[in-house]
Amino acid sequence: MTSNVLVVSKSRLEGQIELSGAKNSALKLLAASILSEDNIVLENYPSQLLDAQIHVDMLHALGKETMLISADTILIKESSNLKTNLTWEDRSIRNTLLILGALTARFGEARVPLPGGCKLGERKYDLHVMVLEALGARVWEEDDYLCSKVKDRLLGTDIHLPMRSTGATENAILAGSLAKGVTRIWNPHIRPEILDLITMLNDMGAHIKVFGQEHIEITGVEQLKGVRHKVIADSMEAITWLAAAVITKGDIEIHDFPYRDLEVVLTHLKAAGAKLYKGENSLIVRGGCCYPIEVSTGPHPGINSDVQPILAAWAAQAQGESRIIDLRFPGRYGYAKEMARMGVQYGISGDMLKVMGNNGGLIGTEVKALDLRAGIALTLCGLAAEGETVITDAWQIGRGYVDLIPKLKALGANCSGSIG
């Protein structure tokens, strides 16, 4: 992967922003396209994201064909029999686990590369294996690949998840859609991207019902049809621009803001100094002042683990100590060491990250984007730091943000470089 560089310096962001389609939703929908031989059209599709491009290339390797109808609309079609063996030597992504489930559900067998993606502490895939085995498949590792096979067809059953895992819930939904009989997923992780996946699958002919946070019930069907579906707005991008407006003491109107998906985060940030105003179909952020925060990540509707690096950038601008607890991925605090190069003082105690804010006294320097959200957190720090901040491995940021540099420039940011 090319080591792209993003250079930012102190700026005040002002203007309007349109949110792109959600990365965390689009990738699941791409995997779901494997379940049908019919055409799938995704609108508001973030075609420029590196992870989306990798996933599309994986679909090509399996035998799917794709075409960009426009910059944010993709057509996925199938002109020949799909392969069940995904031979892949480039960088892998964690979504290979969903490709495994989808292929197994439709064809009864699959072989995919072991998952990649951000290294967020211990991210095992035992729950994915448990889901497929519960539905009747045999799953095993073979070299650097994960394989599965079922004699005839997956059989519906009750799946009890020991924790609210997003990926395991998604895999159970994908696999259960074509399984014989009824599948019930107990203790699922009900979050916006999963509801988006369920909406698309039901429009394809699946029979999926959600019973709050308690369970999901899936009555399997023999085949699924094509669909035209609009990807939901990216809530992570929404939070990024909200934080950017306050950190730079700017003024940004975020259109199509996903209020319902971010109620908890909004409550915390409003209490932590953000000046928020509700527009007709937007959120207006008129700057504010970053106050110290104390938050813990958790299942939706709580604060997503992806948000906490952004909150650490917020904390770096506060006067006083902030405390962030990430119970899901406590190994995700590596970015704090990079922030320290800019003058951020921090400490890690067990699962807790303590950030001793210095009220904006950051100094630009060279830092490294260890993962996607770490990269954007460093970008936010750079927009408030004195001097120039050079972020290496900026391709990580390109995995999750469409047109970041043009959007930053349109808002008045001093930035240059490449993240693609």
Side-chain angles (χ1 to χ4, degrees):
M1 181 65 66
T2 303
S3 180
N4 303 113
V5 173
L6 174 62
V7 181
V8 296
S9 55
K10 194 167 187 175
S11 309
R12 180 181 184 273
L13 304 190
E14 183 176 2
Q16 302 185 38
I17 208 78
E18 298 283 347
L19 298 175
S20 301
K23 163 190 178 266
N24 288 338
S25 183
L27 296 183
K28 323 308 179 189
L29 305 180
L30 290 174
S33 72
I34 294 171
L35 295 174
S36 175
E37 64 180 12
D38 294 343
N39 291 353
I40 307 290
V41 176
L42 298 179
E43 300 173 342
N44 198 34
Y45 169 72
S47 63
Q48 296 179 39
L49 298 188
L50 294 181
D51 280 8
Q53 293 169 3
I54 289 174
H55 201 306
V56 166
D57 287 343
M58 287 180 172
L59 292 181
H60 293 166
L62 291 173
K64 287 279 190 181
E65 298 175 12
T66 67
M67 179 177 67
L68 283 177
I69 301 173
S70 67
D72 64 352
T73 304
I74 188 172
L75 166 66
I76 307 166
K77 60 182 181 179
E78 189 174 312
S79 301
S80 59
N81 293 332
L82 288 193
K83 301 174 184 175
T84 57
N85 182 358
L86 175 58
T87 302
W88 190 258
E89 297 181 356
D90 294 334
R91 182 175 72 86
S92 182
I93 55 178
R94 194 163 178 82
N95 233 42
T96 56
L97 293 169
L98 300 188
I99 294 175
L100 179 79
L103 287 172
T104 306
R106 184 173 166 197
F107 299 106
E109 62 180 7
R111 182 175 182 269
V112 303
L114 291 173
C118 289
K119 295 181 179 179
L120 309 178
E122 290 294 321
R123 295 187 75 186
K124 300 177 181 178
Y125 45 87
D126 53 327
L127 291 182
H128 293 261
V129 174
M130 182 203 81
V131 164
L132 292 177
E133 288 181 339
L135 293 167
R138 183 170 69 90
V139 184
W140 70 97
E141 286 187 26
E142 190 174 276
D143 298 323
D144 290 327
Y145 284 77
L146 195 60
C147 309
S148 66
K149 191 175 183 65
V150 63
K151 287 185 178 180
D152 180 26
R153 183 180 170 191
L154 295 176
L155 298 176
T157 187
D158 279 33
I159 298 172
H160 296 269
L161 297 179
M163 64 179 290
R164 287 183 177 172
S165 162
T166 300
T169 300
E170 291 163 344
N171 229 340
I173 291 169
L174 292 172
S177 295
L178 293 180
K180 185 177 181 180
V182 176
T183 299
R184 294 183 184 87
I185 310 165
W186 298 92
N187 195 34
H189 193 181
I190 304 299
R191 54 184 291 178
E193 296 85 356
I194 286 178
L195 294 176
D196 197 29
L197 173 63
I198 290 172
T199 296
M200 187 176 102
L201 288 173
N202 279 339
D203 288 344
M204 293 170 67
H207 296 153
I208 307 172
K209 296 180 181 179
V210 178
F211 295 86
Q213 295 282 349
E214 184 193 44
H215 78 282
I216 298 172
E217 183 177 285
I218 309 165
T219 301
V221 296
E222 291 194 1
Q223 62 182 20
L224 295 173
K225 61 184 180 181
V227 72
R228 190 178 191 97
H229 180 81
K230 183 179 180 180
V231 182
I232 60 174
D234 194 325
S235 60
M236 284 303 307
E237 185 187 6
I239 287 297
T240 299
W241 295 122
L242 191 169
V246 182
I247 287 172
T248 67
K249 301 189 184 304
D251 191 326
I252 301 178
E253 182 173 10
I254 308 168
H255 292 281
D256 198 23
F257 191 89
Y259 279 97
R260 191 171 59 180
D261 302 338
L262 295 171
E263 289 178 348
V264 174
V265 180
L266 288 176
T267 300
H268 278 281
L269 292 186
K270 193 169 183 177
K275 293 182 179 179
L276 309 178
Y277 305 89
K278 192 167 185 177
E280 186 174 334
N281 188 35
S282 65
L283 176 71
I284 300 168
V285 191
R286 293 241 151 91
C289 183
C290 296
Y291 303 153
I293 54 175
E294 291 192 12
V295 296
S296 175
T297 65
H300 187 80
I303 297 175
N304 192 318
S305 178
D306 278 354
V307 176
Q308 60 99 341
I310 295 173
L311 297 183
W314 179 292
Q317 302 302 312
Q319 184 69 51
E321 182 179 284
S322 294
R323 299 183 177 192
I324 299 171
I325 297 176
D326 193 331
L327 297 176
R328 288 299 181 91
F329 306 114
R332 195 176 191 175
Y333 299 139
Y335 62 81
K337 186 175 181 181
E338 296 300 309
M339 286 185 177
R341 301 179 191 275
M342 303 176 71
V344 176
Q345 298 181 45
Y346 77 97
I348 297 175
S349 177
D351 294 335
M352 179 185 295
L353 170 67
K354 297 179 181 179
V355 179
M356 283 62 80
N358 53 9
N359 202 23
L362 302 184
I363 304 297
T365 187
E366 182 174 314
V367 290
K368 182 178 180 180
L370 301 178
D371 60 59
L372 163 55
R373 306 304 171 188
I376 201 65
L378 293 170
T379 303
L380 293 174
C381 287
L383 289 170
E386 296 295 335
E388 198 172 72
T389 299
V390 179
I391 304 169
T392 62
D393 278 359
W395 63 267
Q396 291 274 18
I397 307 172
R399 293 178 46 230
Y401 289 86
V402 175
D403 287 335
L404 178 68
I405 293 176
K407 286 180 177 179
L408 280 170
K409 288 183 175 179
L411 293 171
N414 299 312
C415 64
S416 61
S418 172
I419 62 172

